[in-house]
Amino acid sequence: MQIRIVIAASLLGASLITAPAGASEAIPTTLPTSAIPAPVAAAPADQAATIAALTRENALLQEKLKAMESCSISSTDLAARNSKKLKEITADVRAQRQSMAEFESYVKWMSGHVASYSKYIQASSVAARFVRFFPIPYAGQASLFTKFVSDSAVSLGAASVSINKYLGTSQQFLSRADALDPNKPTYNQDVSDLVRFADQDLLKGMSEVQDRLTTTSQLSASSLSFLESVNHYVGSGDEALTKAKSFLKSDEKAEKSFLAESTTSLRNKAQVFNGKLQLFDATVKKTAPQIKALVAYDDLARSLDPKFAKK
């Protein structure tokens, strides 16, 4: 019995002595679960999400590339586009040409009308020798009005030249535009050359006619003002006019009738002219930016196909 107790005590003591040595191995079993590192098995899930995101991004890039490829444009495409726009411009140019004949007719009529002022200038000049004030614009300043008539003749002559020149330029543009053929091997070059012609010749001539006709309109307004003033004072009892009328070499009734008819005629013709001039101005304002846009597209076509730039 004592032997058993001794053996048991020995075994118990041995176990107490060895317990500290094994304590470090027993600690992990008693740690809280929150301190345990995440399992390695979670990594494949993150990798799958990354691959999925890259796949979606790649699909979007492929769609953008396809869209860019479908929007690609060539010099031939640009030539076709410019050719279409050139033919649209021809409609406005034809409308302008229809008005040119009427503008030319009015300019010629104005030239003769202004020339008829000579006798009134002469009368005003002579009357100015006898009186210090003549109640008609420019009276007593006949030399200035003579200069006005002279300048008017030059301006009207320049307007006539510009109209005839533009008729030739616009006809050349229309003929070349009508001759454009996409089946010709020189089609792209023909379109490019016509765009340059429209910018350098057609538009320049168009703008010049616009300026000359605007000046003609201003001359008409000045002439109308003069006639209305003369018509207002003819027949009055003013002493200066009495002296001036003696140099007109025509009876007063006939002169007054002539002045009234001339004033009415000029007023009516000027109204019609100004109305057509407004329509012409509208086509110029519309056509000018269109031609400039054609030049921009032609520059792009030449950059895509450098052989056009050789010319």
Side-chain angles (χ1 to χ4, degrees):
M1 186 63 179
Q2 291 179 349
I3 295 173
R4 290 178 179 176
I5 293 173
V6 172
I7 295 172
S10 300
L11 292 173
L12 180 61
S15 63
L16 291 174
I17 295 171
T18 56
S24 61
E25 296 179 0
I27 290 175
T29 59
T30 60
L31 290 175
T33 56
S34 60
I36 301 174
V40 179
D46 293 341
Q47 185 177 8
T50 301
I51 292 175
L54 291 173
T55 301
R56 288 193 299 271
E57 184 178 355
N58 182 64
L60 290 174
L61 289 174
Q62 292 295 332
E63 291 179 4
K64 290 182 179 180
L65 286 173
K66 289 181 180 179
M68 292 176 65
E69 290 175 356
S70 63
C71 292
S72 62
I73 193 168
S74 66
S75 59
T76 300
D77 295 329
L78 291 171
R81 186 252 180 215
N82 276 1
S83 177
K84 179 181 178 181
K85 294 299 181 181
L86 284 168
K87 291 184 181 297
E88 291 176 1
I89 291 175
T90 60
D92 288 326
V93 173
R94 286 190 170 91
Q96 290 176 347
R97 286 175 57 81
Q98 291 178 355
S99 299
M100 287 299 110
E102 297 179 50
F103 289 150
E104 174 68 8
S105 177
Y106 181 78
V107 168
K108 289 181 178 179
W109 181 83
M110 273 296 298
S111 297
H113 187 76
V114 172
S116 68
Y117 290 164
S118 58
K119 65 179 180 179
Y120 297 107
I121 298 170
Q122 180 183 8
S124 300
S125 178
V126 173
R129 300 174 187 174
F130 302 99
V131 294
R132 302 180 65 179
F133 173 75
F134 192 53
I136 298 178
Y138 307 107
Q141 302 176 18
S143 61
L144 294 179
F145 195 71
T146 300
K147 188 175 187 303
F148 168 78
V149 173
S150 176
D151 291 345
S152 297
V154 173
S155 179
L156 291 169
S160 181
V161 171
S162 296
I163 290 173
N164 288 321
K165 183 179 179 181
Y166 182 65
L167 284 172
T169 301
S170 58
Q171 182 57 58
Q172 185 178 353
F173 170 78
L174 293 175
S175 298
R176 292 175 63 175
D178 292 339
L180 291 176
D181 184 357
N183 296 319
K184 289 183 178 180
T186 59
Y187 174 65
N188 289 8
Q189 186 67 61
D190 292 341
V191 173
S192 181
D193 291 343
L194 186 54
V195 167
R196 300 294 161 168
F197 178 82
D199 180 50
Q200 298 170 7
D201 296 274
L202 181 71
L203 186 56
K204 179 181 178 181
M206 192 185 301
S207 299
E208 183 177 325
V209 169
Q210 182 185 35
D211 291 341
R212 297 298 186 186
L213 293 180
T214 299
T215 300
T216 299
S217 177
Q218 294 169 349
L219 290 175
S220 299
S222 297
S223 298
L224 182 60
S225 177
F226 175 77
L227 278 181
E228 288 175 339
S229 297
V230 173
N231 190 35
H232 175 73
Y233 286 108
V234 166
S236 72
D238 190 277
E239 179 184 357
L241 287 174
T242 301
K243 294 188 177 187
K245 283 185 288 186
S246 64
F247 295 95
L248 295 177
K249 299 181 180 180
S250 61
D251 63 275
E252 181 179 323
K253 291 183 178 180
E255 195 64 43
K256 187 171 180 60
S257 176
F258 171 78
L259 286 170
E261 292 175 359
S262 296
T263 302
T264 300
S265 179
L266 176 56
R267 182 184 298 108
N268 293 337
K269 287 180 179 293
Q271 287 178 349
V272 174
F273 172 80
N274 288 331
K276 291 188 176 296
L277 179 57
Q278 289 180 352
L279 295 176
F280 180 79
D281 288 341
T283 60
V284 175
K285 292 178 180 178
K286 174 186 175 183
T287 304
Q290 288 179 327
I291 291 177
K292 292 302 180 183
L294 289 176
V295 174
Y297 279 101
D298 186 61
D299 286 340
L300 178 58
R302 291 184 176 214
S303 65
L304 293 175
D305 197 346
K307 68 181 181 181
F308 292 153
K310 295 179 181 179
K311 198 166 182 180

